[in-house]
Amino acid sequence: MGREKDMEEKRHRIIGTAGHIDHGKTWLVKALTGTDTDRLAEEKRRGITIENGFAFLKFPDGREAGIIDVPGHERFIKNMLAGAGGIDIAMVVIAVDEGVMPQTREHLAILSLLGIQKGVLVLTKGDLEWKKGLDQEIREFAEGTFLENADVVVTSAVDGRGIEELRRVLWKLCTAGKNTGNQKPSQKEGDSCTGRMGTKASAFRLPIDRVFSLKGFGTVVTGTLLDGSLGLNYDAMLYPRTERVKIRGIQVHGQEVSEAVPGQRVAVNLPGIGKEQISRGEILAAAGSMEGTMIADVRLQLLKSGQRTLKSGTRVHLYHGAAELVCKIILFDRVVLKPGEEAVVQLRMEQMTAMKAGDHFVIRFYSPVETIGGGVVLNPNGVKRKKRQNADAVVHCACTGKERKKAHASGKITEEICGNSVFLQLQELYLKSGFMPPLTDEVKKVFSGERDFSEVFFAMVRDGVLVRFDEKHYMHWEMRQKALDMAYLLYEEKGMIQTGEFRDRLGISRKCAIILLERFDRERITVMENGGRVLKRNLQQADRLRRGF
């Protein structure tokens, strides 16, 4: 059971508040944790939350969860979005005297777009007279969302009712297995090697949502650790600028630690760089694990409840991680995208950023600013493509540059297959599955009704888009390449590839690490030596292999 079970038990969950202004979110967090998350003088003066606040909730068994208290006012929705990306469990708050309000609906839409699938409905001000028809209003509000079958807890700041019941519900949600929703095909919980929030497991990644300085320490950045483990001796970079930085100290819950695990709120001391040189929205991540980008291929869905349509070239606000950007939406297979519709599109950013396949994002209309949709990143490093004259033609957005280069070189994956809807679905599935892909037999069953499945699947295998993981699984070549990059990096740093460190750097289980490393052994890339592994080929050959195979 060993290390991977221990790491999973250490994995923290982040609970996020959501709901309309003055519905009692901050009071609720204080009642649960004893912490007043409104830390700014202006928040105290105005009696409203402006910036995201943070607290820690202790459970009876000694475990802890982080709580993010987000602003409820529409003017501060961008601050809410900066913290919402790390949320695992939503605590959606509704005051019984006012019921479901505009920001309650927008917050739920945002949480859904970010892929959050667990939550609880908390009714506050339970000592007041209830709004007429509130029960029916809440049922209609939750219908068809991840809250449809959620627990409902009534609370009151006057008499303290419901707090212990809410604590029990949150404990149940935090300790239950991860809800994978309608993911296809399914896997057993214990076999999963994917990261949090639907993103694939990888080297550590910390979107920065706050930057400040402390006397005697210097610059400190904070955020929710999304992927992998973060240690004092890890090689780190700031993205998208790709600037190397040193990690001098790590704090979790105000305590110095040598290592942080996914789901924890982390403060990192970065020496040698001024706070004015770092901005919220940048990412602290393992060196070499990401690339800067200004073009991304994504799957975008507009909210059914929205009133806005999108034409190709429309400028929107893009929220990804803790970053707020401006980008253009480029459509390929239609003239206009309407509310409720979904399509593979291209985002062309006006600023450099960094993303990973499987990441969720939200878009808001440019002016007036309102949430209109969101989706999932398919290819974070896209290239410009021209729109076909025929609006009904297939799209090519999800083919990465390397895949297209390989396809053209072999002539096996044609433009039609590369833009085929089955190809797009398979690519999204395998990228989101991370380092533990689904059983091939399950994939075949899920796609049994697709006429083009066999042709597309075997073309992907034949041309190296899907590569063998073991006798029952294939994995996306990009995931294999990331694992190979990490093996190369460890060898370069320490002259030896140890299974435990390889596992920790990628944020995967020991089982996944062993399968990957044994695969490299069979391919004569690595060889066992003195209890670890070394690269069998010289560094020059390994570097060529690392850059593409």
Side-chain angles (χ1 to χ4, degrees):
M1 316 291 297
R3 172 74 171 173
E4 71 244 43
K5 181 178 179 182
D6 184 55
M7 285 291 288
E8 179 57 30
E9 288 181 350
K10 288 181 180 178
R11 182 181 295 273
H12 282 218
R13 297 292 182 259
I14 296 293
I15 301 165
T17 65
H20 201 74
I21 185 173
D22 199 31
H23 276 204
K25 298 186 295 299
T26 301
W27 164 79
L28 202 60
V29 175
K30 187 174 182 179
L32 285 166
T33 68
T35 300
D36 184 354
T37 54
D38 283 348
R39 66 183 188 277
L40 303 179
E42 187 179 359
E43 292 176 319
K44 300 291 188 185
R45 180 176 61 82
R46 297 173 62 181
I48 63 173
T49 299
I50 297 173
E51 281 285 357
N52 295 318
F54 307 99
F56 305 101
L57 177 60
K58 285 195 173 184
F59 293 118
D61 64 353
R63 294 192 224 187
E64 290 184 331
I67 296 185
I68 297 179
D69 181 30
V70 305
H73 196 290
E74 189 276 336
R75 286 179 56 196
F76 306 118
I77 196 73
K78 66 178 182 179
N79 294 342
M80 178 268 185
L81 279 157
I87 293 173
D88 297 295
I89 297 162
M91 190 161 57
V92 180
V93 179
I94 301 171
V96 301
D97 59 332
E98 291 190 318
V100 178
M101 298 289 281
Q103 286 312 119
T104 323
R105 297 185 186 280
E106 184 169 18
H107 280 196
L108 179 60
I110 288 170
L111 295 173
S112 299
L113 291 168
L114 290 174
I116 295 165
Q117 298 184 15
K118 287 183 180 181
V120 56
L121 280 162
V122 184
L123 306 187
T124 54
K125 307 183 182 181
D127 54 289
L128 300 181
E129 183 177 351
W130 287 35
K131 179 182 178 182
K132 186 178 180 180
L134 181 62
D135 287 344
Q136 180 64 25
E137 182 175 278
I138 291 175
R139 278 194 295 270
E140 292 175 355
F141 167 71
E143 186 177 3
T145 75
F146 67 92
L147 293 175
E148 187 166 26
N149 299 309
D151 288 296
V152 180
V153 180
V154 180
T155 64
S156 169
V158 174
D159 55 26
R161 79 178 76 169
I163 295 302
E164 289 310 310
E165 181 186 354
L166 178 58
R167 196 187 306 275
R168 286 191 295 270
V169 170
L170 292 172
W171 186 19
K172 177 183 71 175
L173 290 171
C174 285
T175 55
K178 183 179 178 182
N179 184 346
T180 56
N182 296 321
Q183 178 181 341
K184 59 175 187 178
S186 62
Q187 294 178 346
K188 294 179 181 179
E189 184 71 22
D191 291 338
S192 176
C193 294
T194 58
R196 297 170 64 252
M197 303 181 343
T199 62
K200 57 183 178 295
S202 64
F204 76 86
R205 180 168 52 141
L206 183 82
I208 297 170
D209 55 35
R210 189 178 171 214
V211 186
F212 58 94
S213 62
L214 287 176
K215 189 174 181 180
F217 290 90
T219 300
V220 176
V221 299
T222 68
T224 301
L225 186 60
L226 296 187
D227 304 320
S229 61
L230 171 59
L232 289 172
N233 61 336
Y234 289 4
D235 195 8
M237 275 185 171
L238 286 172
Y239 293 92
R241 69 172 94 171
T242 64
E243 178 180 346
R244 285 184 182 270
V245 290
K246 292 183 179 180
I247 298 174
R248 183 162 62 189
I250 302 171
Q251 282 196 0
V252 174
H253 300 192
Q255 301 296 317
E256 292 283 345
V257 298
S258 59
E259 182 184 61
V261 299
Q264 288 183 324
R265 287 290 308 173
V266 182
V268 184
N269 183 203
L270 302 179
I273 187 169
K275 71 172 185 177
E276 68 283 350
Q277 296 175 266
I278 305 175
S279 302
R280 181 164 79 175
E282 291 188 79
I283 300 170
L284 179 69
S289 64
M290 303 187 75
E291 294 180 43
T293 184
M294 294 185 72
I295 300 176
D297 302 321
V298 304
R299 184 180 299 280
L300 172 66
Q301 181 173 18
L302 296 190
L303 294 173
K304 291 181 181 179
S305 58
Q307 304 298 317
R308 304 286 180 182
T309 59
L310 289 182
K311 295 180 180 179
S312 192
T314 300
R315 295 176 83 219
V316 298
H317 294 276
L318 170 69
Y319 299 85
H320 167 259
E324 178 188 7
L325 309 160
V326 175
C327 71
K328 288 183 180 180
I329 305 291
I330 306 300
L331 306 179
F332 289 91
D333 65 337
R334 64 197 70 198
V335 175
V336 65
L337 190 64
K338 300 176 183 177
E341 290 186 342
E342 181 178 335
V344 175
V345 306
Q346 193 165 81
L347 306 181
R348 294 183 184 170
M349 274 72 76
E350 296 182 6
Q351 306 102 320
M352 184 74 75
T353 189
M355 298 175 163
K356 287 194 175 183
D359 285 356
H360 289 266
F361 64 89
V362 171
I363 62 168
R364 305 187 80 206
F365 201 68
Y366 190 76
S367 182
V369 180
E370 59 188 66
T371 302
I372 57 174
V376 178
V377 176
L378 299 178
N379 170 28
N381 300 99
V383 294
K384 282 189 177 182
R385 300 177 179 87
K386 293 182 179 179
K387 181 177 178 181
R388 288 192 172 191
Q389 296 300 314
N390 182 356
D392 295 325
V394 293
V395 296
H396 308 297
C397 299
C399 275
T400 68
K402 288 183 179 179
E403 286 165 358
R404 186 172 298 279
K405 182 178 179 180
K406 289 190 296 181
H408 285 192
S410 66
K412 291 174 180 176
I413 293 187
T414 65
E415 289 287 329
E416 286 71 28
I417 288 178
C418 200
N420 185 289
S421 64
V422 174
F423 176 90
L424 300 180
Q425 293 177 61
L426 284 170
Q427 172 153 277
E428 183 176 2
L429 169 64
Y430 277 95
L431 282 172
K432 289 179 70 174
S433 296
F435 291 105
M436 189 59 182
L439 284 165
T440 304
D441 286 346
E442 289 189 18
V443 176
K444 290 178 180 178
K445 288 179 183 177
V446 169
F447 287 88
S448 60
E450 298 286 352
R451 184 180 58 183
D452 298 334
F453 169 73
S454 293
E455 179 186 1
V456 173
F457 184 85
F458 288 111
M460 292 173 74
V461 172
R462 186 173 59 237
D463 209 62
V465 177
L466 296 179
V467 295
R468 187 171 292 280
F469 180 70
D470 60 22
E471 64 276 7
K472 295 182 179 180
H473 304 78
Y474 286 91
M475 72 187 308
H476 198 280
W477 75 269
E478 186 176 316
M479 298 308 302
R480 178 194 184 277
Q481 191 66 35
K482 287 182 182 296
L484 189 57
D485 284 348
M486 184 55 68
Y488 176 85
L489 181 63
L490 286 173
Y491 184 77
E492 188 178 52
E493 287 179 354
K494 304 190 175 182
M496 181 72 71
I497 305 163
Q498 297 288 355
T499 303
E501 189 158 11
F502 180 77
R503 168 202 63 204
D504 292 346
R505 291 281 191 102
L506 289 176
I508 60 179
S509 72
R510 184 173 179 83
K511 176 183 176 182
C512 293
I514 290 172
I515 291 174
L516 286 165
L517 290 173
E518 288 182 346
R519 186 74 191 174
F520 296 156
D521 291 345
R522 289 194 295 273
E523 294 174 12
R524 299 187 178 183
I525 297 170
T526 56
V527 63
M528 289 292 294
E529 187 176 288
N530 298 325
R533 284 178 170 84
V534 297
L535 292 179
K536 190 170 183 179
R537 306 176 182 185
N538 64 42
L539 287 178
Q540 184 177 7
Q541 291 172 317
D543 186 54
R544 286 200 299 267
L545 182 65
R546 183 171 68 93
R547 295 172 188 274
F549 59 95

